[in-house]
Amino acid sequence: MDSKILLFIIKLIASGLVCFLAILLMSKKREVAWSVMVCGFLFSYAALIYELLTELGIIAFAEIQVLGIPLSHLICACLPALCFIIAFIMMLAKNNK
């Protein structure tokens, strides 16, 4: 088995477990900030699956580029981090009240 594919399998298993536990936590907390945090984990998992599919050649990335970077790769890299940033800001704002 190719080491790159093995690494993707390990990442998929670990990320799947993280998403599962994050969804369980969200069902217990029921706060908007935690929901946005879970969305970040889910987007991260989706980005990993997209990266795997493009690596295997099953799907091709979009031709639209921003600053020489494919838009789909840019979205996959920035969207989870953006969700985490929003969630942390919401948590900090709530704690400062």
Side-chain angles (χ1 to χ4, degrees):
M1 182 182 294
D2 188 20
S3 62
K4 207 171 198 180
I5 299 298
L6 182 61
L7 182 61
F8 270 115
I9 291 171
I10 292 169
K11 285 181 181 180
L12 284 172
I13 291 170
S15 296
L17 183 61
V18 166
C19 287
F20 176 73
L21 294 174
I23 291 170
L24 285 179
L25 178 66
M26 183 183 71
S27 68
K28 300 286 184 197
K29 289 289 187 177
R30 297 199 187 262
E31 295 178 14
V32 176
W34 283 107
S35 298
V36 176
M37 181 82 69
V38 170
C39 287
F41 288 121
L42 292 174
F43 286 139
S44 176
Y45 188 70
L48 182 63
I49 291 173
Y50 177 77
E51 184 181 346
L52 176 63
L53 293 176
T54 55
E55 185 72 28
L56 293 174
I58 296 172
I59 58 174
F61 60 88
E63 297 294 326
I64 301 171
Q65 294 192 357
V66 176
L67 302 172
I69 303 169
L71 183 62
S72 58
H73 290 238
L74 190 62
I75 290 171
C76 288
C78 294
L79 194 57
L82 184 63
C83 287
F84 296 140
I85 289 168
I86 292 169
F88 289 136
I89 289 172
M90 291 172 77
M91 287 179 193
L92 287 171
K94 180 183 171 195
N95 290 337
N96 286 335
K97 287 184 179 179

